Amino acid sequence: MINKEIITHSFEDLQEAICTELNILDGVSAFKKDTWYRREGGGGVSAIIESGNLIEKGGVNFSAVWGPTPGHIREQFQYEGDRFYATGVSIVLHPSNPYVPIIHMNIRYFELDEHIWWFGGGIDLTPHYIDLQEAGLFHARLKAVCDQHQAANYQKFKTWADDYFFIKHRAETRGVGGIFFDRLSQPGEKEVIFDFVRNLGQSFVPLYKEIANRKRSMPFSERERQWQFLRRGRYVEFNLVLDRGTKFGLETNGRTESILMSLPPMATWKYDYQPQKDSPEWHTLQSLKKNIDWAHA
Amino acid sequence: MINKEIITHSFEDLQEAICTELNILDGVSAFKKDTWYRREGGGGVSAIIESGNLIEKGGVNFSAVWGPTPGHIREQFQYEGDRFYATGVSIVLHPSNPYVPIIHMNIRYFELDEHIWWFGGGIDLTPHYIDLQEAGLFHARLKAVCDQHQAANYQKFKTWADDYFFIKHRAETRGVGGIFFDRLSQPGEKEVIFDFVRNLGQSFVPLYKEIANRKRSMPFSERERQWQFLRRGRYVEFNLVLDRGTKFGLETNGRTESILMSLPPMATWKYDYQPQKDSPEWHTLQSLKKNIDWAHA
């Protein structure tokens, strides 16, 4: 029988495997690991890479935290539950080359009072320059993973990502989306759902490798770099204003440096910046919209 | 009799006067003004300066907005009130020289259903490098303004600023604080409170001029600049995660580019960065605490 210990160990192993493979993919810098403990129960391991060849700043975090459920978190869950258990793996990678997209993945498992449980997760791609072929490839690969599992529904999860990774105050999507799901739970189906979640986690490196290797050697100039900094500013806005995981972490007294590993190495803000009409930057802005069928765009 | 029209016009005049004087103080770049309108009622004028001699990026915003009170704003106010009116002036200036502090000021007036009203406001200083003389001067000047008005209480407002400008998830104050006040209201005292608020607004330029001129010509190197970028990252965290004005603006469908003028031109994040013990950066971190009597430190 599947239980939280098995899930937790599987997430730990996944972090380890992803770091090992990303170390090889980066080729220069290596992940630095910090173990931390939470006073109220649990802790985690943060694996951070900075100033790499491919990755300018990134993190692959594992955590397993538990304890009394804070009041405001209870409200958010809309479940009663005196004690919670949460474990997950979170990844954010900011590449140095502006032609390589930012990638994010998170998979997580929650338990309340040992009898209410659910899985959640998501993966999304934030190109500084949108490339239809790349976005199509990304979505096709995610659809293929979903299609292998009864527990997953690509169309539903793709729409969910469009809604979740949306910067309301900018009326822009964060990037080309991906899939997002939460509260996946069905009596007797824990193993089936876990299979999907684990499979998604295992598909991260092959997928990122395919995408990063297409463009990591493309030459770029100061212009593309400046645009990358501006788009990273939007990434900061999403994570600090809207991201539920970030809020949950900061509100449950998580480790701030681990939670905020998602922030980019450098970001800029220019007042009311508008790229020139028909420029590549302008075309990217035009495509930051919901409901684009990227798999067939 | 004082009323919302008089207060609104006074705030408009104040914005104009401050921009004129800051243009002279900067000496190179000038404020660019944009007028905007809000669909539900009202609008504002954003005055933005970028790439100045003293000011790398800054804004002096005026707005007056009104309309039906949004439900979640009602809860926040803890008052019933079908229609709200809000007007104010907000300033944030990010200097290019890391030895010159970031400064922020806001003064505002609220009305609900034309009979409930209050003033709020605050001013605080965020040095990249804390200088006791500068912090002492800043607080002494604010105390002098407060001491001229029955409606103001420096001690109370200083403590309020310590609590408000506190980055909980970092356990750090944003800078050396200043004063903060909200819900100032007393039957028959509207004029008296307004006198204080207006006087605080008028004291902004002389105070900033005195502080900026002390250090704007100090030479600095890449090291100080790098530290400035990291401290600006904290400023971003405060504004996007905690600042009530930013939240209010984004939630009431305000103009995003005006609200986010407070964000710095460039900011960086380094994982778990710790300055060397006894360095100037380390000393600054040690002093980012509440309850320091800066006026006598």
Side-chain angles (χ1 to χ4, degrees), chain A residues 53-64:
Chain A
N53 176 11
L54 167 64
I55 304 164
E56 191 175 336
K57 181 168 177 281
V60 180
N61 286 351
F62 158 79
S63 68

Side-chain angles (χ1 to χ4, degrees), chain A:
Chain A
M1 251 300 270
I2 188 101
N3 58 31
K4 66 171 178 294
E5 287 74 23
I6 293 175
I7 297 166
T8 304
H9 284 302
S10 149
F11 284 175
E12 271 184 297
D13 291 348
L14 181 68
Q15 179 198 34
E16 182 75 25
I18 289 176
C19 288
T20 303
E21 294 180 84
L22 289 180
N23 274 339
I24 297 167
L25 183 66
D26 188 82
V28 167
S29 206
F31 281 87
K32 185 183 155 291
K33 289 187 184 175
D34 279 331
T35 303
W36 55 273
Y37 299 92
R38 181 172 166 275
R39 201 184 348 173
E40 298 86 346
V45 178
S46 291
I48 307 288
I49 187 168
E50 288 181 303
S51 308
N53 176 11
L54 167 64
I55 304 164
E56 191 175 336
K57 181 168 177 281
V60 180
N61 286 351
F62 158 79
S63 68
V65 299
W66 58 82
T69 317
H72 56 286
I73 299 293
R74 264 189 226 209
E75 278 170 42
Q76 208 176 300
F77 285 165
Q78 298 177 302
Y79 280 111
E80 283 305 313
D82 284 337
R83 300 185 62 82
F84 79 100
Y85 184 94
T87 182
V89 173
S90 285
I91 307 175
V92 176
L93 304 176
H94 290 279
S96 47
N97 189 316
Y99 288 117
V100 177
I102 308 164
I103 197 163
H104 156 257
M105 189 192 79
N106 169 256
I107 50 178
R108 56 190 180 272
Y109 172 75
F110 274 99
E111 239 181 57
L112 283 175
D113 289 346
E114 306 200 355
H115 62 276
I116 298 163
W117 59 267
W118 67 85
F119 288 93
I123 172 167
D124 78 307
L125 199 69
T126 306
H128 311 95
Y129 289 94
I130 290 182
D131 163 350
L132 291 184
Q133 226 181 321
E134 176 185 84
L137 185 155
F138 183 68
H139 277 272
R141 294 287 182 274
L142 293 181
K143 185 172 183 310
V145 174
C146 290
D147 287 352
Q148 285 171 50
H149 296 271
Q150 278 279 257
N153 180 331
Y154 169 76
Q155 265 317 321
K156 188 178 158 196
F157 293 176
K158 189 268 182 200
T159 304
W160 208 337
D162 277 358
D163 290 337
Y164 184 77
F165 298 109
F166 186 70
I167 310 176
K168 290 185 196 70
H169 60 269
R170 299 286 188 182
E172 278 172 14
T173 53
R174 174 158 95 168
V176 298
I179 60 172
F180 184 89
F181 52 92
D182 205 2
R183 309 280 176 99
L184 288 198
S185 189
Q186 197 72 45
E189 303 283 305
K190 197 187 274 190
E191 187 124 27
V192 170
I193 302 174
F194 178 53
D195 276 347
F196 159 60
V197 169
R198 185 173 42 191
N199 193 349
L200 181 64
Q202 287 162 344
S203 69
F204 177 81
V205 172
L207 179 48
Y208 181 61
K209 200 188 279 188
E210 192 175 359
I211 283 179
N213 282 341
R214 290 176 79 239
K215 297 197 170 162
R216 61 190 290 182
S217 304
M218 264 180 78
F220 60 88
S221 69
E222 191 54 26
R223 170 196 174 136
E224 290 82 16
R225 192 76 171 142
Q226 291 301 327
W227 177 246
Q228 179 182 37
F229 294 153
L230 285 170
R231 297 311 305 167
R232 284 175 175 176
R234 294 289 209 274
Y235 210 85
V236 172
E237 290 178 26
F238 179 85
N239 281 13
L240 296 184
V241 177
L242 299 163
D243 186 56
R244 276 185 243 153
T246 304
K247 273 185 200 177
F248 178 83
L250 295 177
E251 285 172 0
T252 50
N253 195 20
R255 182 173 178 258
T256 296
E257 283 294 341
S258 301
I259 299 162
L260 299 185
M261 66 82 178
S262 63
L263 300 180
M266 178 174 278
T268 60
W269 282 268
K270 277 197 180 110
Y271 173 71
D272 203 18
Y273 181 76
Q274 308 286 356
Q276 213 190 321
K277 195 164 183 285
D278 289 326
S279 65
E281 293 80 10
W282 183 87
H283 279 291
T284 286
L285 280 189
Q286 303 314 304
S287 300
L288 293 172
K289 304 258 185 283
K290 293 183 184 187
N291 303 320
I292 296 177
D293 180 9
W294 295 107
H296 305 97

